Amino acid sequence: MYQVLYRKWRPQSFSDVYGQPMITAALKNELRTGRIAHAYLFTGSRGTGKTSCAKILAKAVNCLNPKEGDPCNECDSCLGIDGGTILDVVEIDAASNNGVDNIRDLREEVNFTPSVVRYRVYIIDEVHMLSSGAFNALLKTLEEPPAHVIFVLATTEVHKLPATILSRCQRFDFRRIAPEDIAARIRYIASQARLADGGMRDALSLLDQCISRSHEVTVESVADAAGLAGRDYLFEFSEAVRSGDGGAALALVGRLHQASRDMERLCAELIEFYRNLMVIKSVPDPSGLIIAPPAELEQLRTEAGAYELPVILHCMD
C-alpha cells in the first residue's frame, strides 16, 4: 500500500528534524546527561514537528544503544516502538478521549511498571481539548508521577491550558519552519515553499498531490494542486480596490468561486499580498522579507507605489 510522504519521511531522530535546532539540541543534551523531565509540553502550529519530536523522545529514553541523545533506530526497543508492538508508548488523542473517565483510566495504568522498556511514555496530542474535570484528574498525576512514567503533552492552543498544568511541564515552543528550511527538505518545490505556511507536513502533502498529477513537479503543477491559477488575480483585485470599482472586485471573486477556488485561501493570499505591499512601503530592502520570484517582486514594487501606506493597512483590516 502506498504510504503518504509525510508519514514515509517522518523524522526518525532529532538530527532529522528541520527548523527546530534549539529544541532538538536541548532535548539531546538532556538525554546525554540523563536529566530527563517527567513531563514535557510541546506547543506550536501544526506541522512544526511536535508529534515527531515526542515519538523520537519516546524512543530515545528507551533506546538500548543511544547515540549522542539520538535513538539508534536499530535496537529491539526502537524497532518495537516504530512498529507499534511495544505497548508502553501510548499515543492519546485528547480530542476523542477528553473525559475525566479517560484520564482516570490513565492514572490507574501509570502505576504499572513498563513491560518491556525502561519508561512508559504517554503522548497526549491536542491536550487543550481535555475537559476541566480531565485536567484536574491529570494534574494529580503530573504532581506526583511514578519514576517510570514520562508525559509529553502536545497542543496548538497553549493558551487554553490551565496554569497549574503549565507550571508542572518543561515547555518547548515550536516555531513555524522557515521557507528555506522547508525548501532544503523538499528542493523540488522550493519556489512554492510559502504554500506550506511554515508546516512541513503541508509541504509534503502538497508534493504528494503534485506527484499524483504529473511525474514532473513544476510551478504550474504546484499551482494547480494548491488550487491556485497563477497570481494575476491578486493584482487584478488590487486594481479594482485602488479604482474604487466594487463591481469589478465582486465579479473577480465570482469568477474564482465558479472556478472552485478556495475562498479561505483567497482571503489568506490577499492578506499576504497587502502585507507584502506594506513591507515594501516600510523597508528599504524588502527582498529578504518577501517570498516571491524576482519578476513578481518587481510587480509588487510597482503596485505598492500606487498606494499610500494607510490605505494598505485599511485593506489588510
Side-chain angles (χ1 to χ4, degrees), residues 185-231:
R185 183 73 166 170
I186 321 169
R187 296 188 183 279
Y188 323 106
I189 57 170
S191 64
Q192 297 295 324
R194 64 172 176 271
L195 295 176
D197 193 23
M200 189 69 75
R201 182 171 61 239
D202 287 355
L204 289 170
S205 295
L206 180 58
L207 179 60
D208 249 333
Q209 294 179 54
C210 294
I211 293 172
S212 69
R213 287 168 164 80
S214 170
H215 290 296
E216 184 177 358
V217 179
T218 64
V219 172
E220 291 73 21
S221 66
V222 172
D224 182 54
L228 309 174
R231 292 169 64 84

mmCIF file of all heavy atoms in Angstrom, residues 185-231:
data_model
loop_
_atom_site.group_PDB
_atom_site.id
_atom_site.type_symbol
_atom_site.label_atom_id
_atom_site.label_comp_id
_atom_site.label_asym_id
_atom_site.label_seq_id
_atom_site.Cartn_x
_atom_site.Cartn_y
_atom_site.Cartn_z
ATOM 1 N N ARG A 185 14.442 20.653 2.609
ATOM 2 C CA ARG A 185 13.922 19.305 2.770
ATOM 3 C C ARG A 185 13.215 18.836 1.502
ATOM 4 O O ARG A 185 13.192 17.674 1.165
ATOM 5 C CB ARG A 185 12.954 19.299 3.963
ATOM 6 C CG ARG A 185 12.353 17.963 4.335
ATOM 7 C CD ARG A 185 13.360 17.081 4.999
ATOM 8 N NE ARG A 185 12.731 15.938 5.662
ATOM 9 C CZ ARG A 185 13.389 14.918 6.151
ATOM 10 N NH1 ARG A 185 14.700 14.886 6.053
ATOM 11 N NH2 ARG A 185 12.767 13.928 6.742
ATOM 12 N N ILE A 186 12.603 19.748 0.812
ATOM 13 C CA ILE A 186 11.854 19.393 -0.397
ATOM 14 C C ILE A 186 12.292 20.335 -1.514
ATOM 15 O O ILE A 186 11.592 21.266 -1.872
ATOM 16 C CB ILE A 186 10.344 19.539 -0.177
ATOM 17 C CG1 ILE A 186 9.952 19.065 1.212
ATOM 18 C CG2 ILE A 186 9.568 18.752 -1.216
ATOM 19 C CD1 ILE A 186 8.551 19.416 1.580
ATOM 20 N N ARG A 187 13.442 20.098 -2.058
ATOM 21 C CA ARG A 187 14.014 21.016 -3.041
ATOM 22 C C ARG A 187 13.160 21.125 -4.306
ATOM 23 O O ARG A 187 13.200 22.133 -5.004
ATOM 24 C CB ARG A 187 15.429 20.555 -3.413
ATOM 25 C CG ARG A 187 16.393 20.617 -2.245
ATOM 26 C CD ARG A 187 17.817 20.341 -2.670
ATOM 27 N NE ARG A 187 18.711 20.326 -1.515
ATOM 28 C CZ ARG A 187 19.200 21.419 -0.936
ATOM 29 N NH1 ARG A 187 18.886 22.605 -1.408
ATOM 30 N NH2 ARG A 187 19.999 21.319 0.100
ATOM 31 N N TYR A 188 12.378 20.098 -4.589
ATOM 32 C CA TYR A 188 11.566 20.107 -5.797
ATOM 33 C C TYR A 188 10.571 21.265 -5.816
ATOM 34 O O TYR A 188 10.205 21.767 -6.877
ATOM 35 C CB TYR A 188 10.779 18.790 -5.929
ATOM 36 C CG TYR A 188 11.510 17.580 -5.469
ATOM 37 C CD1 TYR A 188 11.164 16.964 -4.269
ATOM 38 C CD2 TYR A 188 12.551 17.049 -6.221
ATOM 39 C CE1 TYR A 188 11.851 15.850 -3.827
ATOM 40 C CE2 TYR A 188 13.236 15.935 -5.780
ATOM 41 C CZ TYR A 188 12.885 15.346 -4.579
ATOM 42 O OH TYR A 188 13.566 14.247 -4.135
ATOM 43 N N ILE A 189 10.107 21.664 -4.632
ATOM 44 C CA ILE A 189 9.079 22.716 -4.599
ATOM 45 C C ILE A 189 9.581 23.938 -3.840
ATOM 46 O O ILE A 189 8.815 24.650 -3.205
ATOM 47 C CB ILE A 189 7.762 22.205 -3.988
ATOM 48 C CG1 ILE A 189 7.994 21.648 -2.583
ATOM 49 C CG2 ILE A 189 7.101 21.186 -4.868
ATOM 50 C CD1 ILE A 189 6.710 21.344 -1.839
ATOM 51 N N ALA A 190 10.892 24.188 -3.914
ATOM 52 C CA ALA A 190 11.483 25.288 -3.159
ATOM 53 C C ALA A 190 10.834 26.627 -3.491
ATOM 54 O O ALA A 190 10.578 27.453 -2.613
ATOM 55 C CB ALA A 190 12.984 25.358 -3.430
ATOM 56 N N SER A 191 10.515 26.852 -4.757
ATOM 57 C CA SER A 191 9.945 28.137 -5.163
ATOM 58 C C SER A 191 8.524 28.333 -4.659
ATOM 59 O O SER A 191 8.013 29.448 -4.636
ATOM 60 C CB SER A 191 9.955 28.256 -6.690
ATOM 61 O OG SER A 191 9.124 27.266 -7.262
ATOM 62 N N GLN A 192 7.863 27.209 -4.227
ATOM 63 C CA GLN A 192 6.499 27.298 -3.739
ATOM 64 C C GLN A 192 6.404 26.972 -2.251
ATOM 65 O O GLN A 192 5.326 26.692 -1.747
ATOM 66 C CB GLN A 192 5.601 26.324 -4.518
ATOM 67 C CG GLN A 192 5.516 26.639 -6.001
ATOM 68 C CD GLN A 192 4.843 27.973 -6.260
ATOM 69 O OE1 GLN A 192 3.922 28.345 -5.554
ATOM 70 N NE2 GLN A 192 5.330 28.711 -7.240
ATOM 71 N N ALA A 193 7.517 27.039 -1.532
ATOM 72 C CA ALA A 193 7.521 26.618 -0.126
ATOM 73 C C ALA A 193 6.575 27.448 0.733
ATOM 74 O O ALA A 193 6.113 26.987 1.766
ATOM 75 C CB ALA A 193 8.934 26.702 0.429
ATOM 76 N N ARG A 194 6.239 28.680 0.309
ATOM 77 C CA ARG A 194 5.358 29.521 1.126
ATOM 78 C C ARG A 194 3.974 28.921 1.289
ATOM 79 O O ARG A 194 3.268 29.212 2.239
ATOM 80 C CB ARG A 194 5.246 30.919 0.511
ATOM 81 C CG ARG A 194 4.595 30.930 -0.870
ATOM 82 C CD ARG A 194 4.331 32.362 -1.336
ATOM 83 N NE ARG A 194 3.804 32.365 -2.671
ATOM 84 C CZ ARG A 194 4.544 32.405 -3.761
ATOM 85 N NH1 ARG A 194 5.853 32.418 -3.656
ATOM 86 N NH2 ARG A 194 3.989 32.407 -4.948
ATOM 87 N N LEU A 195 3.523 28.089 0.349
ATOM 88 C CA LEU A 195 2.191 27.495 0.423
ATOM 89 C C LEU A 195 2.040 26.586 1.635
ATOM 90 O O LEU A 195 0.938 26.326 2.082
ATOM 91 C CB LEU A 195 1.894 26.704 -0.853
ATOM 92 C CG LEU A 195 1.811 27.517 -2.140
ATOM 93 C CD1 LEU A 195 1.602 26.595 -3.322
ATOM 94 C CD2 LEU A 195 0.692 28.537 -2.055
ATOM 95 N N ALA A 196 3.145 26.097 2.175
ATOM 96 C CA ALA A 196 3.091 25.213 3.335
ATOM 97 C C ALA A 196 2.851 25.988 4.615
ATOM 98 O O ALA A 196 2.541 25.405 5.643
ATOM 99 C CB ALA A 196 4.397 24.424 3.450
ATOM 100 N N ASP A 197 2.982 27.327 4.587
ATOM 101 C CA ASP A 197 2.702 28.179 5.733
ATOM 102 C C ASP A 197 3.455 27.713 6.971
ATOM 103 O O ASP A 197 2.890 27.627 8.062
ATOM 104 C CB ASP A 197 1.197 28.226 6.011
ATOM 105 C CG ASP A 197 0.836 29.349 6.989
ATOM 106 O OD1 ASP A 197 1.620 30.303 7.088
ATOM 107 O OD2 ASP A 197 -0.211 29.249 7.649
ATOM 108 N N GLY A 198 4.711 27.388 6.821
ATOM 109 C CA GLY A 198 5.528 27.029 7.962
ATOM 110 C C GLY A 198 5.326 25.633 8.488
ATOM 111 O O GLY A 198 5.794 25.304 9.569
ATOM 112 N N GLY A 199 4.629 24.773 7.745
ATOM 113 C CA GLY A 199 4.381 23.408 8.192
ATOM 114 C C GLY A 199 4.964 22.399 7.225
ATOM 115 O O GLY A 199 4.606 22.386 6.046
ATOM 116 N N MET A 200 5.855 21.537 7.707
ATOM 117 C CA MET A 200 6.492 20.545 6.841
ATOM 118 C C MET A 200 5.473 19.540 6.314
ATOM 119 O O MET A 200 5.538 19.110 5.163
ATOM 120 C CB MET A 200 7.599 19.820 7.609
ATOM 121 C CG MET A 200 8.457 18.922 6.743
ATOM 122 S SD MET A 200 9.497 19.848 5.589
ATOM 123 C CE MET A 200 10.760 20.478 6.710
ATOM 124 N N ARG A 201 4.503 19.154 7.157
ATOM 125 C CA ARG A 201 3.508 18.164 6.726
ATOM 126 C C ARG A 201 2.685 18.695 5.556
ATOM 127 O O ARG A 201 2.397 17.971 4.606
ATOM 128 C CB ARG A 201 2.596 17.810 7.900
ATOM 129 C CG ARG A 201 1.566 16.740 7.545
ATOM 130 C CD ARG A 201 0.831 16.255 8.778
ATOM 131 N NE ARG A 201 0.107 17.310 9.450
ATOM 132 C CZ ARG A 201 0.318 17.668 10.723
ATOM 133 N NH1 ARG A 201 1.229 17.060 11.441
ATOM 134 N NH2 ARG A 201 -0.402 18.633 11.271
ATOM 135 N N ASP A 202 2.311 19.987 5.595
ATOM 136 C CA ASP A 202 1.546 20.576 4.494
ATOM 137 C C ASP A 202 2.359 20.577 3.208
ATOM 138 O O ASP A 202 1.834 20.342 2.120
ATOM 139 C CB ASP A 202 1.130 22.009 4.845
ATOM 140 C CG ASP A 202 0.021 22.053 5.884
ATOM 141 O OD1 ASP A 202 -0.481 20.965 6.245
ATOM 142 O OD2 ASP A 202 -0.329 23.140 6.334
ATOM 143 N N ALA A 203 3.666 20.854 3.344
ATOM 144 C CA ALA A 203 4.520 20.877 2.161
ATOM 145 C C ALA A 203 4.603 19.494 1.522
ATOM 146 O O ALA A 203 4.522 19.353 0.299
ATOM 147 C CB ALA A 203 5.920 21.374 2.537
ATOM 148 N N LEU A 204 4.756 18.467 2.347
ATOM 149 C CA LEU A 204 4.850 17.105 1.812
ATOM 150 C C LEU A 204 3.517 16.639 1.238
ATOM 151 O O LEU A 204 3.480 15.917 0.249
ATOM 152 C CB LEU A 204 5.318 16.150 2.916
ATOM 153 C CG LEU A 204 6.792 16.319 3.319
ATOM 154 C CD1 LEU A 204 7.097 15.523 4.580
ATOM 155 C CD2 LEU A 204 7.714 15.901 2.197
ATOM 156 N N SER A 205 2.415 17.055 1.851
ATOM 157 C CA SER A 205 1.098 16.713 1.311
ATOM 158 C C SER A 205 0.897 17.363 -0.053
ATOM 159 O O SER A 205 0.337 16.761 -0.973
ATOM 160 C CB SER A 205 -0.011 17.156 2.271
ATOM 161 O OG SER A 205 0.066 16.442 3.484
ATOM 162 N N LEU A 206 1.365 18.607 -0.177
ATOM 163 C CA LEU A 206 1.276 19.308 -1.458
ATOM 164 C C LEU A 206 2.124 18.607 -2.511
ATOM 165 O O LEU A 206 1.695 18.442 -3.659
ATOM 166 C CB LEU A 206 1.730 20.763 -1.291
ATOM 167 C CG LEU A 206 1.703 21.641 -2.544
ATOM 168 C CD1 LEU A 206 0.309 21.704 -3.141
ATOM 169 C CD2 LEU A 206 2.212 23.042 -2.226
ATOM 170 N N LEU A 207 3.315 18.157 -2.115
ATOM 171 C CA LEU A 207 4.172 17.424 -3.048
ATOM 172 C C LEU A 207 3.491 16.135 -3.500
ATOM 173 O O LEU A 207 3.554 15.768 -4.679
ATOM 174 C CB LEU A 207 5.517 17.115 -2.393
ATOM 175 C CG LEU A 207 6.525 16.332 -3.240
ATOM 176 C CD1 LEU A 207 6.868 17.080 -4.516
ATOM 177 C CD2 LEU A 207 7.787 16.042 -2.433
ATOM 178 N N ASP A 208 2.824 15.446 -2.565
ATOM 179 C CA ASP A 208 2.073 14.238 -2.913
ATOM 180 C C ASP A 208 1.031 14.526 -3.988
ATOM 181 O O ASP A 208 0.862 13.773 -4.945
ATOM 182 C CB ASP A 208 1.369 13.686 -1.665
ATOM 183 C CG ASP A 208 1.974 12.375 -1.198
ATOM 184 O OD1 ASP A 208 2.528 11.655 -2.048
ATOM 185 O OD2 ASP A 208 1.896 12.084 0.000
ATOM 186 N N GLN A 209 0.298 15.627 -3.829
ATOM 187 C CA GLN A 209 -0.730 15.987 -4.806
ATOM 188 C C GLN A 209 -0.110 16.277 -6.168
ATOM 189 O O GLN A 209 -0.659 15.904 -7.204
ATOM 190 C CB GLN A 209 -1.500 17.215 -4.319
ATOM 191 C CG GLN A 209 -2.333 16.966 -3.059
ATOM 192 C CD GLN A 209 -3.038 18.224 -2.619
ATOM 193 O OE1 GLN A 209 -3.763 18.853 -3.387
ATOM 194 N NE2 GLN A 209 -2.813 18.616 -1.373
ATOM 195 N N CYS A 210 1.047 16.956 -6.157
ATOM 196 C CA CYS A 210 1.720 17.272 -7.422
ATOM 197 C C CYS A 210 2.142 15.997 -8.146
ATOM 198 O O CYS A 210 1.962 15.865 -9.360
ATOM 199 C CB CYS A 210 2.944 18.154 -7.157
ATOM 200 S SG CYS A 210 2.547 19.791 -6.525
ATOM 201 N N ILE A 211 2.704 15.048 -7.396
ATOM 202 C CA ILE A 211 3.177 13.801 -7.999
ATOM 203 C C ILE A 211 2.018 13.010 -8.588
ATOM 204 O O ILE A 211 2.150 12.349 -9.621
ATOM 205 C CB ILE A 211 3.938 12.966 -6.949
ATOM 206 C CG1 ILE A 211 5.241 13.678 -6.558
ATOM 207 C CG2 ILE A 211 4.239 11.562 -7.471
ATOM 208 C CD1 ILE A 211 5.965 13.042 -5.402
ATOM 209 N N SER A 212 0.850 13.086 -7.925
ATOM 210 C CA SER A 212 -0.301 12.340 -8.438
ATOM 211 C C SER A 212 -0.804 12.916 -9.755
ATOM 212 O O SER A 212 -1.466 12.229 -10.528
ATOM 213 C CB SER A 212 -1.439 12.367 -7.406
ATOM 214 O OG SER A 212 -1.982 13.660 -7.276
ATOM 215 N N ARG A 213 -0.480 14.190 -10.042
ATOM 216 C CA ARG A 213 -0.920 14.824 -11.285
ATOM 217 C C ARG A 213 0.109 14.689 -12.399
ATOM 218 O O ARG A 213 -0.239 14.604 -13.566
ATOM 219 C CB ARG A 213 -1.197 16.317 -11.039
ATOM 220 C CG ARG A 213 -2.463 16.589 -10.239
ATOM 221 C CD ARG A 213 -2.502 18.048 -9.795
ATOM 222 N NE ARG A 213 -3.838 18.449 -9.365
ATOM 223 C CZ ARG A 213 -4.346 18.164 -8.167
ATOM 224 N NH1 ARG A 213 -3.632 17.469 -7.302
ATOM 225 N NH2 ARG A 213 -5.558 18.557 -7.832
ATOM 226 N N SER A 214 1.395 14.699 -12.017
ATOM 227 C CA SER A 214 2.435 14.678 -13.038
ATOM 228 C C SER A 214 3.730 14.158 -12.430
ATOM 229 O O SER A 214 3.989 14.363 -11.238
ATOM 230 C CB SER A 214 2.657 16.092 -13.598
ATOM 231 O OG SER A 214 3.792 16.132 -14.418
ATOM 232 N N HIS A 215 4.540 13.474 -13.267
ATOM 233 C CA HIS A 215 5.826 12.982 -12.787
ATOM 234 C C HIS A 215 6.811 14.129 -12.597
ATOM 235 O O HIS A 215 7.780 13.996 -11.862
ATOM 236 C CB HIS A 215 6.406 11.958 -13.756
ATOM 237 C CG HIS A 215 5.652 10.665 -13.769
ATOM 238 N ND1 HIS A 215 5.587 9.846 -12.663
ATOM 239 C CD2 HIS A 215 4.922 10.057 -14.731
ATOM 240 C CE1 HIS A 215 4.851 8.773 -12.949
ATOM 241 N NE2 HIS A 215 4.431 8.888 -14.198
ATOM 242 N N GLU A 216 6.564 15.241 -13.268
ATOM 243 C CA GLU A 216 7.453 16.394 -13.165
ATOM 244 C C GLU A 216 6.759 17.478 -12.344
ATOM 245 O O GLU A 216 5.651 17.903 -12.679
ATOM 246 C CB GLU A 216 7.801 16.933 -14.555
ATOM 247 C CG GLU A 216 8.805 18.074 -14.510
ATOM 248 C CD GLU A 216 9.182 18.552 -15.902
ATOM 249 O OE1 GLU A 216 8.684 17.954 -16.871
ATOM 250 O OE2 GLU A 216 9.962 19.513 -16.001
ATOM 251 N N VAL A 217 7.412 17.915 -11.276
ATOM 252 C CA VAL A 217 6.843 18.949 -10.421
ATOM 253 C C VAL A 217 7.277 20.312 -10.956
ATOM 254 O O VAL A 217 8.465 20.641 -10.963
ATOM 255 C CB VAL A 217 7.302 18.775 -8.958
ATOM 256 C CG1 VAL A 217 6.726 19.875 -8.084
ATOM 257 C CG2 VAL A 217 6.881 17.409 -8.438
ATOM 258 N N THR A 218 6.312 21.085 -11.416
ATOM 259 C CA THR A 218 6.581 22.405 -11.965
ATOM 260 C C THR A 218 5.790 23.447 -11.197
ATOM 261 O O THR A 218 4.932 23.117 -10.371
ATOM 262 C CB THR A 218 6.177 22.469 -13.449
ATOM 263 O OG1 THR A 218 4.752 22.274 -13.534
ATOM 264 C CG2 THR A 218 6.888 21.390 -14.257
ATOM 265 N N VAL A 219 6.079 24.721 -11.475
ATOM 266 C CA VAL A 219 5.312 25.805 -10.859
ATOM 267 C C VAL A 219 3.839 25.656 -11.186
ATOM 268 O O VAL A 219 2.957 25.848 -10.345
ATOM 269 C CB VAL A 219 5.836 27.178 -11.348
ATOM 270 C CG1 VAL A 219 4.921 28.301 -10.866
ATOM 271 C CG2 VAL A 219 7.253 27.410 -10.853
ATOM 272 N N GLU A 220 3.544 25.242 -12.436
ATOM 273 C CA GLU A 220 2.155 25.088 -12.869
ATOM 274 C C GLU A 220 1.455 23.957 -12.120
ATOM 275 O O GLU A 220 0.306 24.086 -11.698
ATOM 276 C CB GLU A 220 2.080 24.846 -14.377
ATOM 277 C CG GLU A 220 2.461 26.040 -15.241
ATOM 278 C CD GLU A 220 3.951 26.308 -15.243
ATOM 279 O OE1 GLU A 220 4.748 25.376 -14.919
ATOM 280 O OE2 GLU A 220 4.342 27.449 -15.552
ATOM 281 N N SER A 221 2.162 22.822 -11.945
ATOM 282 C CA SER A 221 1.539 21.689 -11.256
ATOM 283 C C SER A 221 1.318 21.992 -9.784
ATOM 284 O O SER A 221 0.332 21.574 -9.191
ATOM 285 C CB SER A 221 2.402 20.431 -11.416
ATOM 286 O OG SER A 221 3.644 20.562 -10.764
ATOM 287 N N VAL A 222 2.234 22.754 -9.178
ATOM 288 C CA VAL A 222 2.056 23.147 -7.777
ATOM 289 C C VAL A 222 0.863 24.083 -7.640
ATOM 290 O O VAL A 222 0.033 23.943 -6.744
ATOM 291 C CB VAL A 222 3.340 23.814 -7.230
ATOM 292 C CG1 VAL A 222 3.085 24.400 -5.840
ATOM 293 C CG2 VAL A 222 4.471 22.805 -7.155
ATOM 294 N N ALA A 223 0.762 25.055 -8.562
ATOM 295 C CA ALA A 223 -0.361 25.989 -8.526
ATOM 296 C C ALA A 223 -1.694 25.267 -8.692
ATOM 297 O O ALA A 223 -2.676 25.564 -8.015
ATOM 298 C CB ALA A 223 -0.193 27.046 -9.622
ATOM 299 N N ASP A 224 -1.715 24.276 -9.592
ATOM 300 C CA ASP A 224 -2.940 23.513 -9.824
ATOM 301 C C ASP A 224 -3.300 22.675 -8.593
ATOM 302 O O ASP A 224 -4.455 22.624 -8.173
ATOM 303 C CB ASP A 224 -2.753 22.608 -11.041
ATOM 304 C CG ASP A 224 -4.023 21.828 -11.371
ATOM 305 O OD1 ASP A 224 -5.086 22.460 -11.527
ATOM 306 O OD2 ASP A 224 -3.949 20.595 -11.455
ATOM 307 N N ALA A 225 -2.303 22.037 -7.989
ATOM 308 C CA ALA A 225 -2.555 21.192 -6.815
ATOM 309 C C ALA A 225 -3.004 22.019 -5.622
ATOM 310 O O ALA A 225 -3.815 21.576 -4.814
ATOM 311 C CB ALA A 225 -1.294 20.403 -6.468
ATOM 312 N N ALA A 226 -2.488 23.233 -5.513
ATOM 313 C CA ALA A 226 -2.826 24.079 -4.373
ATOM 314 C C ALA A 226 -4.116 24.866 -4.587
ATOM 315 O O ALA A 226 -4.547 25.614 -3.719
ATOM 316 C CB ALA A 226 -1.680 25.055 -4.091
ATOM 317 N N GLY A 227 -4.744 24.698 -5.746
ATOM 318 C CA GLY A 227 -5.968 25.438 -6.024
ATOM 319 C C GLY A 227 -5.712 26.875 -6.420
ATOM 320 O O GLY A 227 -6.529 27.761 -6.177
ATOM 321 N N LEU A 228 -4.556 27.123 -7.014
ATOM 322 C CA LEU A 228 -4.195 28.479 -7.446
ATOM 323 C C LEU A 228 -4.020 28.492 -8.956
ATOM 324 O O LEU A 228 -3.520 27.547 -9.538
ATOM 325 C CB LEU A 228 -2.873 28.917 -6.796
ATOM 326 C CG LEU A 228 -2.769 28.759 -5.278
ATOM 327 C CD1 LEU A 228 -1.355 29.101 -4.837
ATOM 328 C CD2 LEU A 228 -3.764 29.654 -4.581
ATOM 329 N N ALA A 229 -4.418 29.567 -9.583
ATOM 330 C CA ALA A 229 -4.221 29.685 -11.027
ATOM 331 C C ALA A 229 -3.387 30.928 -11.274
ATOM 332 O O ALA A 229 -3.874 31.982 -11.632
ATOM 333 C CB ALA A 229 -5.555 29.789 -11.752
ATOM 334 N N GLY A 230 -2.080 30.818 -11.043
ATOM 335 C CA GLY A 230 -1.233 31.986 -11.133
ATOM 336 C C GLY A 230 -1.573 32.940 -10.003
ATOM 337 O O GLY A 230 -2.320 32.616 -9.090
ATOM 338 N N ARG A 231 -1.035 34.169 -10.076
ATOM 339 C CA ARG A 231 -1.330 35.152 -9.026
ATOM 340 C C ARG A 231 -1.767 36.479 -9.620
ATOM 341 O O ARG A 231 -1.833 37.488 -8.924
ATOM 342 C CB ARG A 231 -0.105 35.313 -8.133
ATOM 343 C CG ARG A 231 0.173 34.056 -7.315
ATOM 344 C CD ARG A 231 1.506 34.093 -6.635
ATOM 345 N NE ARG A 231 1.645 35.127 -5.634
ATOM 346 C CZ ARG A 231 1.239 34.998 -4.363
ATOM 347 N NH1 ARG A 231 0.625 33.902 -3.968
ATOM 348 N NH2 ARG A 231 1.440 35.962 -3.499
#
